[in-house]
Amino acid sequence: MQSLSRARSHRRTAKRPWRWVKTLLLVTVSTFLFFSLGGLVFLFGTDTGEDLREWAAGTLLTTQHDYWAPYTFIPDDKLQALKDQIRHPEVINSEADTKPSELPATKPNVVPLPEKPKELVDIEEINVKKDNYYFKGKIMYIHDPTRVQLLVTNRKDRGDLLDEFVKKSNAIGIVNASGFSDPDGYGKGAKAYGVVIHDGKILQGYNPKSGETALGITYEGKLITGSYTAEQLVKMGVRDAMSFRPQLIVNGKNLFTDKPARSWGIQPRTAIGQKEDGTIVFVVIDGRQPGHSIGASMNDLAELLEERGIVTAMAMDGGSSSMMLHNGEAITKTSCPYYRGRYLPNAWAVI
């Protein structure tokens, strides 16, 4: 039989674990509230915090989740300015006469490449670290521009994966091209947005999405971009063309030199461009993958191309569609959950 003192001691011991649980909960909640309050003060009470919220808004506006952008709580005028920059980017026709005053005041430092390429295709690794983010990717240099063609899916129910395009065409290199209807991220890439010209034939001659610009390649291998109809492009000798936005460089002018980087956010990117000597470049920047690559802004992309002597360039569809294959193998890392990428309506390829 236990004594009264032993029974009381046992009850006190039994209560001690609950005291530890209560203390732990109190410390956890207090810590959470402290950091939450500190985070709110940083995001809403500092200039850096406001910049971060604008970056977030710009990034969201270029995704399928643009409806979340107002919840970054940036001022309405700034949010509207971001929307306007994305929906109505500056457009210049690359074939227009260029006045001397329109050319850049100073030429950028151009990254040297091998003077005599031994192969049709050269690959350059991209690894850039900024103050608050970093990105990796690949640039593919195609030294015979007449070998670049637009491949178009012939499926009705869905588009093709990049490796499926490769199997059909034996493409040496390939990247994604047009955007497409993608409700809630479940689009199957069967129908491209905008103008589509394949082998000199107009497959789509309309632009259902405002703000799109065309990018085409002539039979001689010249890259053309601007606000052209499909009929105008065919008359100009364009063999293949598609639509997206924004233009990055036109007639040697970097269109993002004086634009805020946050307007298009940070995303995986794809772009097509051409050097003055005719070399065509494919660019893919990986993103949305902490530890590997966060993504790039449009300013980053335009600057990257300008440094390499690109005189005409335009962005392709980005996000989880961005991907590059070389000799049938993926050489960039898609942000799509499926390692083979997404179904696409078309793709630019080296044949």
Side-chain angles (χ1 to χ4, degrees):
M1 185 175 178
Q2 291 182 333
S3 66
L4 181 60
S5 61
R6 287 183 179 179
R8 289 176 177 173
S9 176
H10 178 73
R11 284 195 296 271
R12 284 196 299 269
T13 302
K15 291 181 180 179
R16 285 176 184 172
W18 289 108
R19 292 177 182 173
W20 279 105
V21 171
K22 291 178 181 179
T23 302
L24 180 61
L25 287 174
L26 181 61
V27 171
T28 301
V29 171
S30 299
T31 303
F32 175 78
L33 291 174
F34 174 79
F35 282 105
S36 296
L37 181 60
L40 289 172
V41 171
F42 172 75
L43 287 174
F44 293 91
T46 66
D47 292 338
T48 302
E50 184 172 345
D51 284 343
L52 287 175
R53 287 188 288 120
E54 287 189 44
W55 272 108
T59 301
L60 287 167
L61 287 171
T62 57
T63 70
Q64 295 295 324
H65 307 290
D66 55 349
Y67 50 83
W68 285 107
Y71 295 100
T72 58
F73 299 106
I74 66 172
D76 290 341
D77 58 335
K78 290 189 175 182
L79 183 61
Q80 188 59 47
L82 292 177
K83 291 179 179 179
D84 290 341
Q85 291 167 28
I86 293 170
R87 293 172 182 172
H88 307 290
E90 180 181 1
V91 178
I92 299 176
N93 289 348
S94 61
E95 287 296 279
D97 291 333
T98 305
K99 298 178 182 179
S101 60
E102 293 175 338
L103 294 174
T106 58
K107 292 185 177 180
N109 294 325
V110 176
V111 177
L113 291 170
E115 294 183 4
K116 297 181 180 179
K118 297 180 180 180
E119 304 291 340
L120 169 64
V121 166
D122 286 329
I123 306 295
E124 180 187 357
E125 297 272 350
I126 300 300
N127 190 344
V128 177
K129 291 184 179 180
K130 298 285 185 174
D131 292 337
N132 300 315
Y133 61 98
Y134 50 90
F135 57 86
K136 295 181 181 180
K138 296 286 194 302
I139 298 181
M140 180 180 291
Y141 296 87
I142 303 101
H143 302 290
D144 182 354
T146 64
R147 300 283 294 272
V148 177
Q149 299 179 18
L150 184 72
L151 303 181
V152 179
T153 186
N154 56 8
R155 301 176 186 269
K156 301 299 182 184
D157 59 330
R158 67 168 176 86
D160 281 309
L161 299 169
L162 283 184
D163 58 16
E164 292 176 326
F165 278 122
V166 170
K167 289 178 181 177
K168 293 178 181 179
S169 64
N170 293 318
I172 298 169
I174 192 168
V175 294
N176 62 293
S178 293
F180 52 91
S181 178
D182 190 24
D184 299 322
Y186 293 100
K188 293 187 177 181
K191 189 175 181 60
Y193 278 135
V195 169
V196 179
I197 300 173
H198 176 60
D199 198 20
K201 298 178 181 179
I202 299 174
L203 304 185
Q204 288 182 197
Y206 57 92
N207 248 331
K209 249 190 153 184
S210 62
E212 305 285 19
T213 48
L215 181 135
I217 297 178
T218 68
Y219 286 94
E220 291 75 31
K222 183 177 182 180
L223 207 66
I224 293 174
T225 176
S227 182
Y228 299 110
T229 65
E231 290 76 14
Q232 287 175 321
L233 290 168
V234 170
K235 288 180 180 179
M236 295 164 69
V238 167
R239 182 191 62 216
D240 298 300
M242 44 68 67
S243 296
F244 205 67
R245 70 182 189 278
Q247 293 173 305
L248 301 168
I249 302 173
V250 182
N251 298 329
K253 178 183 178 182
N254 183 340
L255 302 187
F256 278 83
T257 297
D258 300 320
K259 290 185 172 60
R262 63 184 69 91
S263 63
W264 289 80
I266 298 176
Q267 297 283 6
R269 305 289 186 194
T270 300
I272 307 294
Q274 187 169 43
K275 298 179 68 177
E276 195 167 4
D277 66 5
T279 299
I280 286 181
V281 298
F282 294 168
V283 185
V284 170
I285 301 298
D286 295 338
R288 301 176 182 172
Q289 300 170 74
H292 170 62
S293 179
I294 298 299
S297 69
M298 287 297 180
N299 299 56
D300 295 326
L301 197 55
E303 181 180 331
L304 195 74
L305 293 169
E306 185 182 31
E307 289 173 349
R308 285 153 180 79
I310 307 304
V311 295
T312 301
M314 192 175 89
M316 303 290 101
D317 191 14
S320 56
S321 295
S322 289
M323 193 175 183
M324 180 187 292
L325 272 61
H326 181 224
N327 291 331
E329 299 293 330
I331 59 174
T332 59
K333 189 175 180 182
T334 176
S335 63
C336 175
Y338 186 37
Y339 74 97
R340 292 172 67 191
R342 302 198 68 184
Y343 296 127
L344 304 169
N346 50 44
W348 287 110
V350 187
I351 305 299

